[in-house]
């Protein structure tokens, strides 16, 4: 399944070639809007998805984030929740799990934000500026930890002179794809994300 493949290898052209778009929508609403937006673009476009339908992503008021009124913009990240203590960057089936983790920690008093990065291989400068100046950033992804977004995102931050405490969670074990147990096996379930965020927040406070 996708956790054993280097999805980012699809973007292996040169700068002078047509850009290759890599997209991993958060739910069925965003998938539809993304497909409509990029369908007639030039060059290679790759939309990744899971085998099963994902839960609808909602805003802080409980309304659909990517339903009626939402417009997909290529290269633009979605701010799912604002935060001051740190941010989680996620996508695909890891996003709703990250949202659950973020909401639970916010209920405990941690002001954690959440970014949905549907456009995997494009840097949203405005979002980088927002999250790069917070205490920490955690990338949570369903892709291979050795070849996914996580190994790139830290470099993007450093290239812009930003140095929050950084870490990433991704798939790193053998397993059977297409099963809900997969997230727990790989460690990107809500409880595992919460534990990692608490560890990062605690380490940042001790450093100060």
């Amino acid at each position: 399944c996708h956790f054993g493949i280097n999805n980012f290898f699809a973007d292996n052209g040169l700068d002078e070639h047509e850009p290759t778009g890599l997209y991993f929508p958060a739910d069925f609403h965003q998938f539809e809007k993304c497909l409509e937006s990029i369908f007639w673009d030039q060059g290679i476009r790759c939309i990744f998805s899971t085998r099963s339908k994902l839960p609808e992503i909602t805003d802080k008021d409980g309304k659909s984030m990517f339903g009626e009124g939402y417009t997909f913009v290529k290269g633009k990240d979605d701010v799912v929740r604002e935060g001051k203590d740190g941010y989680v960057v996620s996508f695909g089936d890891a996003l709703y799990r990250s949202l659950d983790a973020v909401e639970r920690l916010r209920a405990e008093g941690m002001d954690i934000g959440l970014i949905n990065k549907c456009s995997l291989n494009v840097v949203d400068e405005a979002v980088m500026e927002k999250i790069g100046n917070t205490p920490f950033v955690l990338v949570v992804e369903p892709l291979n930890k050795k070849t996914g977004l996580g190994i790139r995102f830290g470099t993007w931050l450093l290239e812009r002179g930003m140095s929050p405490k950084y870490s990433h969670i991704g798939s790193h074990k053998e397993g059977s794809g297409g099963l809900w147990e997969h997230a727990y096996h790989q460690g990107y379930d809500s409880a595992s994300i919460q534990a990692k965020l608490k560890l990062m927040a605690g380490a940042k406070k001790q450093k100060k």
Side-chain angles (χ1 to χ4, degrees):
C1 194
H2 62 265
F3 60 82
I5 300 175
N6 181 1
N7 300 56
F8 277 82
F9 188 71
D11 181 16
N12 62 1
L14 303 175
D15 288 345
E16 62 193 45
H17 298 158
E18 290 284 352
T20 297
L22 306 182
Y23 308 95
F24 206 145
D27 64 13
F28 61 100
H29 290 306
Q30 190 175 45
F31 190 101
E32 182 179 17
K33 300 291 179 64
C34 176
L35 182 60
E36 291 173 351
S37 174
I38 72 171
F39 189 83
W40 297 108
D41 286 356
Q42 296 295 313
I44 299 172
R45 290 88 69 213
C46 301
I47 303 183
F48 305 116
S49 69
T50 59
R51 298 178 187 178
S52 302
K53 185 175 178 179
L54 298 177
E56 182 180 53
I57 301 299
T58 56
D59 62 19
K60 60 186 177 69
D61 298 318
K63 298 179 181 178
S64 174
M65 274 209 66
F66 306 118
E68 186 177 354
Y70 170 76
T71 300
F72 179 80
V73 180
K74 289 169 286 188
K76 180 176 174 56
D77 299 340
D78 306 292
V79 181
V80 182
R81 295 291 187 275
E82 296 276 1
K84 295 180 180 178
D85 293 341
Y87 271 90
V88 175
V89 178
S90 192
F91 58 88
D93 64 296
L95 186 77
Y96 81 87
R97 296 179 168 99
S98 296
L99 178 56
D100 182 80
V102 165
E103 288 287 30
R104 291 177 185 275
L105 292 181
R106 289 168 72 91
E108 295 179 12
M110 294 178 66
D111 191 9
I112 308 295
L114 176 62
I115 302 297
N116 172 45
K117 188 160 186 60
C118 180
S119 298
L120 297 178
N121 59 335
V122 178
V123 176
D124 184 332
E125 297 293 351
V127 168
M128 293 296 278
E129 182 71 22
K130 175 190 289 288
I131 70 177
N133 291 304
T134 60
F136 61 83
V137 174
L138 174 66
V139 170
V140 180
E141 61 182 317
L143 302 182
N144 192 319
K145 186 178 180 180
K146 288 186 175 181
T147 58
L149 176 66
I151 64 168
R152 295 162 171 81
F153 206 88
T155 299
W156 294 343
L157 287 166
L158 290 174
E159 287 175 342
R160 288 155 180 79
M162 302 170 187
S163 56
K165 184 173 179 61
Y166 178 76
S167 190
H168 62 110
I169 294 173
S171 297
H172 58 285
K173 298 178 181 179
E174 290 277 356
S176 298
L179 303 175
W180 63 267
E181 292 93 344
H182 171 60
Y184 297 87
H185 179 60
Q186 300 293 347
Y188 67 90
D189 58 287
S190 176
S192 297
I193 297 169
Q194 291 175 63
K196 184 67 174 180
L197 287 169
K198 287 181 178 179
L199 184 64
M200 293 180 73
K204 194 67 181 179
K205 289 178 180 178
Q206 289 176 10
K207 186 176 181 180
K208 288 183 178 180

Short mmCIF file of all heavy atoms in Angstrom, two decimals, residues 93-156:
data_model
loop_
_atom_site.label_atom_id
_atom_site.label_comp_id
_atom_site.label_asym_id
_atom_site.label_seq_id
_atom_site.Cartn_x
_atom_site.Cartn_y
_atom_site.Cartn_z
N ASP A 93 -5.59 10.81 5.25
CA ASP A 93 -6.29 10.16 6.37
C ASP A 93 -5.64 10.46 7.72
O ASP A 93 -6.21 10.15 8.76
CB ASP A 93 -6.38 8.65 6.14
CG ASP A 93 -5.02 7.96 6.13
OD1 ASP A 93 -4.23 8.26 5.22
OD2 ASP A 93 -4.76 7.13 7.01
N ALA A 94 -4.45 11.08 7.71
CA ALA A 94 -3.83 11.47 8.98
C ALA A 94 -4.45 12.77 9.51
O ALA A 94 -4.31 13.07 10.69
CB ALA A 94 -2.33 11.64 8.80
N LEU A 95 -5.12 13.53 8.64
CA LEU A 95 -5.61 14.84 9.07
C LEU A 95 -6.73 14.73 10.10
O LEU A 95 -6.71 15.43 11.12
CB LEU A 95 -6.09 15.66 7.87
CG LEU A 95 -6.47 17.09 8.27
CD1 LEU A 95 -5.24 17.94 8.48
CD2 LEU A 95 -7.41 17.74 7.28
N TYR A 96 -7.72 13.88 9.86
CA TYR A 96 -8.82 13.82 10.84
C TYR A 96 -8.35 13.25 12.17
O TYR A 96 -8.87 13.61 13.23
CB TYR A 96 -10.02 13.05 10.28
CG TYR A 96 -9.96 11.54 10.33
CD1 TYR A 96 -10.40 10.84 11.46
CD2 TYR A 96 -9.50 10.81 9.25
CE1 TYR A 96 -10.37 9.45 11.50
CE2 TYR A 96 -9.47 9.42 9.27
CZ TYR A 96 -9.90 8.75 10.41
OH TYR A 96 -9.88 7.38 10.44
N ARG A 97 -7.35 12.40 12.13
CA ARG A 97 -6.77 11.90 13.38
C ARG A 97 -6.00 13.01 14.09
O ARG A 97 -6.04 13.13 15.32
CB ARG A 97 -5.86 10.71 13.08
CG ARG A 97 -6.62 9.51 12.49
CD ARG A 97 -5.69 8.35 12.19
NE ARG A 97 -6.43 7.14 11.91
CZ ARG A 97 -6.71 6.67 10.69
NH1 ARG A 97 -6.29 7.34 9.63
NH2 ARG A 97 -7.40 5.56 10.53
N SER A 98 -5.30 13.81 13.31
CA SER A 98 -4.58 14.95 13.89
C SER A 98 -5.56 15.97 14.47
O SER A 98 -5.30 16.56 15.53
CB SER A 98 -3.72 15.63 12.81
OG SER A 98 -2.70 14.77 12.34
N LEU A 99 -6.68 16.16 13.80
CA LEU A 99 -7.69 17.10 14.29
C LEU A 99 -8.25 16.63 15.63
O LEU A 99 -8.44 17.44 16.55
CB LEU A 99 -8.81 17.25 13.26
CG LEU A 99 -9.98 18.16 13.66
CD1 LEU A 99 -9.50 19.55 14.03
CD2 LEU A 99 -11.01 18.21 12.53
N ASP A 100 -8.49 15.34 15.75
CA ASP A 100 -8.98 14.80 17.03
C ASP A 100 -7.95 15.05 18.13
O ASP A 100 -8.31 15.48 19.24
CB ASP A 100 -9.25 13.31 16.89
CG ASP A 100 -9.82 12.70 18.18
OD1 ASP A 100 -11.03 12.86 18.42
OD2 ASP A 100 -9.04 12.10 18.95
N ALA A 101 -6.68 14.81 17.82
CA ALA A 101 -5.62 15.03 18.81
C ALA A 101 -5.52 16.50 19.21
O ALA A 101 -5.42 16.83 20.39
CB ALA A 101 -4.28 14.55 18.24
N VAL A 102 -5.59 17.37 18.23
CA VAL A 102 -5.50 18.81 18.48
C VAL A 102 -6.66 19.28 19.34
O VAL A 102 -6.48 20.04 20.30
CB VAL A 102 -5.44 19.59 17.14
CG1 VAL A 102 -5.71 21.08 17.36
CG2 VAL A 102 -4.07 19.39 16.48
N GLU A 103 -7.87 18.84 19.02
CA GLU A 103 -9.04 19.26 19.77
C GLU A 103 -8.98 18.79 21.22
O GLU A 103 -9.36 19.51 22.15
CB GLU A 103 -10.32 18.74 19.10
CG GLU A 103 -10.67 19.44 17.80
CD GLU A 103 -11.20 20.85 17.99
OE1 GLU A 103 -10.82 21.54 18.96
OE2 GLU A 103 -12.00 21.28 17.17
N ARG A 104 -8.52 17.57 21.42
CA ARG A 104 -8.40 17.05 22.78
C ARG A 104 -7.37 17.83 23.60
O ARG A 104 -7.59 18.12 24.78
CB ARG A 104 -8.06 15.56 22.75
CG ARG A 104 -9.20 14.68 22.23
CD ARG A 104 -8.80 13.22 22.13
NE ARG A 104 -9.84 12.42 21.52
CZ ARG A 104 -10.87 11.89 22.18
NH1 ARG A 104 -10.97 12.07 23.50
NH2 ARG A 104 -11.78 11.17 21.56
N LEU A 105 -6.26 18.19 22.98
CA LEU A 105 -5.24 18.96 23.69
C LEU A 105 -5.68 20.40 23.92
O LEU A 105 -5.35 21.00 24.95
CB LEU A 105 -3.93 18.92 22.91
CG LEU A 105 -3.23 17.56 22.85
CD1 LEU A 105 -1.93 17.66 22.08
CD2 LEU A 105 -2.97 17.00 24.25
N ARG A 106 -6.43 20.95 22.99
CA ARG A 106 -6.95 22.30 23.19
C ARG A 106 -7.91 22.33 24.38
O ARG A 106 -7.95 23.31 25.14
CB ARG A 106 -7.65 22.78 21.91
CG ARG A 106 -6.69 23.09 20.77
CD ARG A 106 -7.41 23.28 19.45
NE ARG A 106 -8.14 24.53 19.41
CZ ARG A 106 -7.65 25.68 18.95
NH1 ARG A 106 -6.42 25.75 18.49
NH2 ARG A 106 -8.39 26.77 18.92
N ALA A 107 -8.66 21.24 24.55
CA ALA A 107 -9.58 21.14 25.69
C ALA A 107 -8.81 21.08 27.01
O ALA A 107 -9.34 21.44 28.07
CB ALA A 107 -10.47 19.91 25.54
N GLU A 108 -7.54 20.64 26.94
CA GLU A 108 -6.69 20.57 28.13
C GLU A 108 -5.91 21.87 28.36
O GLU A 108 -5.14 21.97 29.30
CB GLU A 108 -5.72 19.40 28.01
CG GLU A 108 -6.39 18.03 27.99
CD GLU A 108 -5.39 16.90 27.84
OE1 GLU A 108 -4.16 17.17 27.98
OE2 GLU A 108 -5.80 15.76 27.59
N GLY A 109 -6.08 22.84 27.46
CA GLY A 109 -5.43 24.13 27.64
C GLY A 109 -4.23 24.39 26.74
O GLY A 109 -3.62 25.46 26.81
N MET A 110 -3.90 23.44 25.84
CA MET A 110 -2.79 23.64 24.91
C MET A 110 -3.33 24.28 23.63
O MET A 110 -4.26 23.75 23.01
CB MET A 110 -2.09 22.32 24.58
CG MET A 110 -1.39 21.68 25.76
SD MET A 110 -0.62 20.09 25.33
CE MET A 110 0.64 20.62 24.17
N ASP A 111 -2.76 25.40 23.25
CA ASP A 111 -3.25 26.13 22.07
C ASP A 111 -2.51 25.65 20.82
O ASP A 111 -1.63 26.33 20.29
CB ASP A 111 -3.06 27.63 22.28
CG ASP A 111 -3.78 28.47 21.23
OD1 ASP A 111 -4.57 27.89 20.45
OD2 ASP A 111 -3.54 29.68 21.19
N ILE A 112 -2.88 24.46 20.35
CA ILE A 112 -2.24 23.83 19.20
C ILE A 112 -3.04 24.12 17.94
O ILE A 112 -4.26 24.02 17.92
CB ILE A 112 -2.14 22.30 19.38
CG1 ILE A 112 -1.50 21.95 20.71
CG2 ILE A 112 -1.36 21.68 18.21
CD1 ILE A 112 -0.07 22.36 20.85
N GLY A 113 -2.34 24.49 16.87
CA GLY A 113 -2.97 24.74 15.59
C GLY A 113 -2.81 23.55 14.65
O GLY A 113 -2.01 22.64 14.91
N LEU A 114 -3.57 23.56 13.56
CA LEU A 114 -3.53 22.44 12.60
C LEU A 114 -3.60 22.97 11.17
O LEU A 114 -4.45 23.81 10.85
CB LEU A 114 -4.70 21.49 12.85
CG LEU A 114 -4.87 20.32 11.87
CD1 LEU A 114 -3.65 19.39 11.90
CD2 LEU A 114 -6.14 19.54 12.18
N ILE A 115 -2.70 22.49 10.34
CA ILE A 115 -2.63 22.85 8.92
C ILE A 115 -2.91 21.62 8.06
O ILE A 115 -2.35 20.55 8.30
CB ILE A 115 -1.24 23.40 8.55
CG1 ILE A 115 -0.87 24.61 9.41
CG2 ILE A 115 -1.16 23.73 7.07
CD1 ILE A 115 -1.76 25.81 9.24
N ASN A 116 -3.77 21.78 7.07
CA ASN A 116 -4.00 20.73 6.08
C ASN A 116 -3.17 21.05 4.85
O ASN A 116 -3.39 22.08 4.19
CB ASN A 116 -5.48 20.67 5.70
CG ASN A 116 -5.72 19.72 4.53
OD1 ASN A 116 -5.20 18.62 4.50
ND2 ASN A 116 -6.51 20.16 3.55
N LYS A 117 -2.21 20.19 4.54
CA LYS A 117 -1.34 20.43 3.38
C LYS A 117 -1.71 19.50 2.24
O LYS A 117 -1.06 18.48 2.00
CB LYS A 117 0.13 20.27 3.76
CG LYS A 117 1.05 20.71 2.63
CD LYS A 117 2.45 21.01 3.12
CE LYS A 117 3.27 21.59 1.98
NZ LYS A 117 2.70 22.85 1.45
N CYS A 118 -2.75 19.85 1.52
CA CYS A 118 -3.21 19.03 0.39
C CYS A 118 -2.21 19.07 -0.76
O CYS A 118 -1.94 18.07 -1.41
CB CYS A 118 -4.58 19.50 -0.07
SG CYS A 118 -5.25 18.58 -1.46
N SER A 119 -1.65 20.25 -1.04
CA SER A 119 -0.63 20.39 -2.09
C SER A 119 0.71 20.01 -1.48
O SER A 119 1.39 20.84 -0.87
CB SER A 119 -0.60 21.83 -2.61
OG SER A 119 -1.83 22.19 -3.20
N LEU A 120 1.10 18.77 -1.68
CA LEU A 120 2.22 18.20 -0.93
C LEU A 120 3.58 18.81 -1.27
O LEU A 120 4.43 18.95 -0.39
CB LEU A 120 2.28 16.69 -1.17
CG LEU A 120 1.08 15.87 -0.69
CD1 LEU A 120 1.30 14.40 -1.06
CD2 LEU A 120 0.88 16.02 0.80
N ASN A 121 3.82 19.12 -2.53
CA ASN A 121 5.17 19.50 -2.95
C ASN A 121 5.30 20.98 -3.32
O ASN A 121 6.18 21.36 -4.07
CB ASN A 121 5.62 18.63 -4.13
CG ASN A 121 4.70 18.74 -5.33
OD1 ASN A 121 3.52 19.06 -5.19
ND2 ASN A 121 5.23 18.45 -6.51
N VAL A 122 4.41 21.81 -2.78
CA VAL A 122 4.48 23.26 -2.99
C VAL A 122 4.50 23.95 -1.63
O VAL A 122 3.70 23.61 -0.75
CB VAL A 122 3.28 23.76 -3.82
CG1 VAL A 122 3.36 25.27 -3.99
CG2 VAL A 122 3.23 23.07 -5.17
N VAL A 123 5.39 24.91 -1.46
CA VAL A 123 5.49 25.64 -0.19
C VAL A 123 4.53 26.82 -0.20
O VAL A 123 4.56 27.65 -1.12
CB VAL A 123 6.93 26.14 0.05
CG1 VAL A 123 7.00 26.98 1.32
CG2 VAL A 123 7.89 24.97 0.13
N ASP A 124 3.68 26.90 0.81
CA ASP A 124 2.81 28.06 1.01
C ASP A 124 3.55 29.01 1.94
O ASP A 124 3.64 28.77 3.14
CB ASP A 124 1.48 27.62 1.63
CG ASP A 124 0.49 28.76 1.79
OD1 ASP A 124 0.92 29.92 1.94
OD2 ASP A 124 -0.73 28.50 1.78
N GLU A 125 4.10 30.08 1.38
CA GLU A 125 4.97 30.97 2.14
C GLU A 125 4.25 31.62 3.33
O GLU A 125 4.83 31.80 4.40
CB GLU A 125 5.56 32.05 1.23
CG GLU A 125 6.46 31.50 0.11
CD GLU A 125 7.75 30.88 0.63
OE1 GLU A 125 8.05 31.02 1.83
OE2 GLU A 125 8.45 30.26 -0.19
N ALA A 126 3.00 31.98 3.13
CA ALA A 126 2.24 32.64 4.21
C ALA A 126 2.06 31.70 5.40
O ALA A 126 2.20 32.11 6.56
CB ALA A 126 0.89 33.11 3.69
N VAL A 127 1.78 30.45 5.12
CA VAL A 127 1.60 29.46 6.19
C VAL A 127 2.93 29.15 6.86
O VAL A 127 3.01 28.99 8.08
CB VAL A 127 0.93 28.18 5.65
CG1 VAL A 127 1.01 27.05 6.67
CG2 VAL A 127 -0.53 28.46 5.31
N MET A 128 4.01 29.07 6.07
CA MET A 128 5.33 28.82 6.66
C MET A 128 5.69 29.92 7.63
O MET A 128 6.26 29.68 8.70
CB MET A 128 6.39 28.71 5.56
CG MET A 128 6.23 27.49 4.67
SD MET A 128 6.44 25.92 5.54
CE MET A 128 8.21 25.79 5.56
N GLU A 129 5.38 31.16 7.27
CA GLU A 129 5.66 32.29 8.14
C GLU A 129 4.85 32.19 9.43
O GLU A 129 5.34 32.48 10.52
CB GLU A 129 5.32 33.60 7.42
CG GLU A 129 5.60 34.86 8.21
CD GLU A 129 7.07 35.15 8.39
OE1 GLU A 129 7.88 34.65 7.58
OE2 GLU A 129 7.43 35.88 9.34
N LYS A 130 3.61 31.74 9.31
CA LYS A 130 2.72 31.61 10.46
C LYS A 130 3.22 30.55 11.45
O LYS A 130 3.34 30.80 12.65
CB LYS A 130 1.31 31.25 9.99
CG LYS A 130 0.32 30.97 11.13
CD LYS A 130 -0.98 30.39 10.60
CE LYS A 130 -1.78 31.43 9.86
NZ LYS A 130 -2.38 32.43 10.80
N ILE A 131 3.52 29.37 10.94
CA ILE A 131 3.85 28.27 11.83
C ILE A 131 5.32 28.24 12.22
O ILE A 131 5.69 27.74 13.28
CB ILE A 131 3.46 26.91 11.21
CG1 ILE A 131 4.35 26.55 10.02
CG2 ILE A 131 1.99 26.92 10.80
CD1 ILE A 131 4.04 25.20 9.42
N GLY A 132 6.19 28.81 11.36
CA GLY A 132 7.62 28.77 11.62
C GLY A 132 8.06 29.63 12.79
O GLY A 132 9.17 29.46 13.30
N ASN A 133 7.20 30.54 13.21
CA ASN A 133 7.52 31.41 14.33
C ASN A 133 6.82 30.99 15.61
O ASN A 133 6.75 31.77 16.56
CB ASN A 133 7.15 32.85 13.96
CG ASN A 133 8.05 33.42 12.88
OD1 ASN A 133 9.26 33.45 13.04
ND2 ASN A 133 7.47 33.84 11.78
N THR A 134 6.30 29.78 15.65
CA THR A 134 5.73 29.22 16.88
C THR A 134 6.76 28.28 17.51
O THR A 134 7.77 27.95 16.88
CB THR A 134 4.42 28.46 16.59
OG1 THR A 134 4.67 27.38 15.68
CG2 THR A 134 3.36 29.40 15.98
N PRO A 135 6.54 27.84 18.74
CA PRO A 135 7.55 27.01 19.43
C PRO A 135 7.90 25.69 18.75
O PRO A 135 9.05 25.25 18.82
CB PRO A 135 6.92 26.78 20.81
CG PRO A 135 6.05 27.97 21.03
CD PRO A 135 5.49 28.29 19.68
N PHE A 136 6.91 25.02 18.12
CA PHE A 136 7.24 23.73 17.51
C PHE A 136 6.30 23.40 16.36
O PHE A 136 5.19 23.92 16.27
CB PHE A 136 7.22 22.60 18.54
CG PHE A 136 5.89 22.38 19.21
CD1 PHE A 136 4.89 21.62 18.61
CD2 PHE A 136 5.63 22.93 20.46
CE1 PHE A 136 3.67 21.42 19.23
CE2 PHE A 136 4.41 22.73 21.10
CZ PHE A 136 3.43 21.98 20.47
N VAL A 137 6.77 22.53 15.48
CA VAL A 137 6.00 22.05 14.33
C VAL A 137 6.15 20.54 14.25
O VAL A 137 7.27 20.01 14.30
CB VAL A 137 6.48 22.68 13.00
CG1 VAL A 137 5.76 22.06 11.81
CG2 VAL A 137 6.28 24.20 13.01
N LEU A 138 5.03 19.85 14.12
CA LEU A 138 5.01 18.38 13.97
C LEU A 138 4.29 18.01 12.69
O LEU A 138 3.13 18.38 12.50
CB LEU A 138 4.31 17.73 15.16
CG LEU A 138 4.09 16.21 15.07
CD1 LEU A 138 5.43 15.47 15.10
CD2 LEU A 138 3.18 15.72 16.21
N VAL A 139 4.97 17.31 11.80
CA VAL A 139 4.34 16.78 10.58
C VAL A 139 3.83 15.39 10.87
O VAL A 139 4.57 14.53 11.36
CB VAL A 139 5.32 16.75 9.39
CG1 VAL A 139 4.72 15.97 8.22
CG2 VAL A 139 5.68 18.16 8.95
N VAL A 140 2.54 15.15 10.59
CA VAL A 140 1.92 13.83 10.78
C VAL A 140 1.40 13.37 9.43
O VAL A 140 0.53 14.01 8.84
CB VAL A 140 0.76 13.89 11.80
CG1 VAL A 140 0.15 12.51 11.97
CG2 VAL A 140 1.26 14.43 13.14
N GLU A 141 1.92 12.26 8.94
CA GLU A 141 1.55 11.81 7.60
C GLU A 141 1.37 10.29 7.55
O GLU A 141 1.95 9.55 8.35
CB GLU A 141 2.61 12.22 6.59
CG GLU A 141 4.00 11.63 6.84
CD GLU A 141 5.02 12.12 5.82
OE1 GLU A 141 4.67 12.16 4.62
OE2 GLU A 141 6.15 12.44 6.22
N PRO A 142 0.58 9.81 6.57
CA PRO A 142 0.40 8.38 6.39
C PRO A 142 1.45 7.77 5.47
O PRO A 142 1.50 6.56 5.30
CB PRO A 142 -0.99 8.29 5.77
CG PRO A 142 -1.10 9.53 4.95
CD PRO A 142 -0.35 10.59 5.71
N LEU A 143 2.28 8.61 4.86
CA LEU A 143 3.28 8.13 3.92
C LEU A 143 4.53 7.63 4.64
O LEU A 143 4.70 7.83 5.84
CB LEU A 143 3.66 9.24 2.93
CG LEU A 143 2.50 9.83 2.10
CD1 LEU A 143 3.04 10.89 1.14
CD2 LEU A 143 1.74 8.76 1.35
N ASN A 144 5.42 7.03 3.87
CA ASN A 144 6.67 6.49 4.40
C ASN A 144 7.48 7.59 5.08
O ASN A 144 7.76 8.64 4.49
CB ASN A 144 7.47 5.89 3.24
CG ASN A 144 8.64 5.05 3.70
OD1 ASN A 144 9.34 5.41 4.64
ND2 ASN A 144 8.86 3.92 3.05
N LYS A 145 7.87 7.36 6.32
CA LYS A 145 8.59 8.36 7.10
C LYS A 145 9.93 8.72 6.47
O LYS A 145 10.44 9.84 6.63
CB LYS A 145 8.80 7.85 8.52
CG LYS A 145 9.42 8.86 9.47
CD LYS A 145 9.55 8.30 10.88
CE LYS A 145 10.16 9.34 11.82
NZ LYS A 145 10.31 8.82 13.20
N LYS A 146 10.54 7.79 5.73
CA LYS A 146 11.86 8.02 5.14
C LYS A 146 11.81 8.82 3.84
O LYS A 146 12.82 9.38 3.41
CB LYS A 146 12.56 6.69 4.87
CG LYS A 146 13.03 5.96 6.11
CD LYS A 146 13.84 4.73 5.72
CE LYS A 146 14.42 4.06 6.95
NZ LYS A 146 15.22 2.86 6.58
N THR A 147 10.63 8.87 3.21
CA THR A 147 10.56 9.48 1.88
C THR A 147 9.40 10.47 1.72
O THR A 147 9.18 10.99 0.63
CB THR A 147 10.39 8.39 0.80
OG1 THR A 147 9.20 7.63 1.06
CG2 THR A 147 11.57 7.44 0.77
N GLY A 148 8.67 10.75 2.78
CA GLY A 148 7.47 11.57 2.67
C GLY A 148 7.71 13.05 2.90
O GLY A 148 8.82 13.57 2.76
N LEU A 149 6.65 13.74 3.28
CA LEU A 149 6.69 15.18 3.51
C LEU A 149 7.63 15.55 4.66
O LEU A 149 8.31 16.58 4.61
CB LEU A 149 5.28 15.70 3.81
CG LEU A 149 5.15 17.17 4.16
CD1 LEU A 149 5.51 18.05 2.96
CD2 LEU A 149 3.72 17.48 4.64
N GLY A 150 7.67 14.72 5.68
CA GLY A 150 8.41 15.04 6.89
C GLY A 150 9.89 15.31 6.68
O GLY A 150 10.47 16.17 7.35
N ILE A 151 10.53 14.59 5.75
CA ILE A 151 11.97 14.79 5.54
C ILE A 151 12.25 16.08 4.76
O ILE A 151 13.39 16.53 4.70
CB ILE A 151 12.62 13.60 4.81
CG1 ILE A 151 12.05 13.44 3.39
CG2 ILE A 151 12.44 12.32 5.61
CD1 ILE A 151 12.84 12.47 2.54
N ARG A 152 11.23 16.67 4.17
CA ARG A 152 11.39 17.89 3.38
C ARG A 152 11.00 19.14 4.18
O ARG A 152 11.60 20.20 4.01
CB ARG A 152 10.51 17.82 2.13
CG ARG A 152 10.94 16.75 1.16
CD ARG A 152 9.86 16.40 0.16
NE ARG A 152 10.38 15.52 -0.87
CZ ARG A 152 10.53 14.21 -0.74
NH1 ARG A 152 10.18 13.63 0.40
NH2 ARG A 152 11.01 13.49 -1.71
N PHE A 153 9.99 18.99 5.02
CA PHE A 153 9.40 20.16 5.66
C PHE A 153 10.38 20.88 6.58
O PHE A 153 10.41 22.12 6.64
CB PHE A 153 8.14 19.76 6.43
CG PHE A 153 7.16 20.87 6.58
CD1 PHE A 153 6.20 21.10 5.61
CD2 PHE A 153 7.19 21.70 7.69
CE1 PHE A 153 5.29 22.14 5.73
CE2 PHE A 153 6.29 22.74 7.82
CZ PHE A 153 5.33 22.97 6.84
N GLY A 154 11.18 20.13 7.30
CA GLY A 154 12.17 20.74 8.18
C GLY A 154 13.18 21.57 7.40
O GLY A 154 13.59 22.66 7.83
N THR A 155 13.58 21.08 6.23
CA THR A 155 14.50 21.82 5.36
C THR A 155 13.86 23.11 4.89
O THR A 155 14.51 24.17 4.85
CB THR A 155 14.91 20.97 4.15
OG1 THR A 155 15.57 19.79 4.61
CG2 THR A 155 15.85 21.73 3.23
N TRP A 156 12.59 23.04 4.50
CA TRP A 156 11.88 24.25 4.05
C TRP A 156 11.87 25.32 5.14
O TRP A 156 12.03 26.50 4.86
CB TRP A 156 10.45 23.90 3.65
CG TRP A 156 10.34 23.04 2.44
CD1 TRP A 156 11.31 22.80 1.51
CD2 TRP A 156 9.20 22.29 2.01
NE1 TRP A 156 10.84 21.94 0.54
CE2 TRP A 156 9.56 21.61 0.82
CE3 TRP A 156 7.91 22.12 2.52
CZ2 TRP A 156 8.66 20.80 0.13
CZ3 TRP A 156 7.02 21.30 1.84
CH2 TRP A 156 7.39 20.64 0.65
#
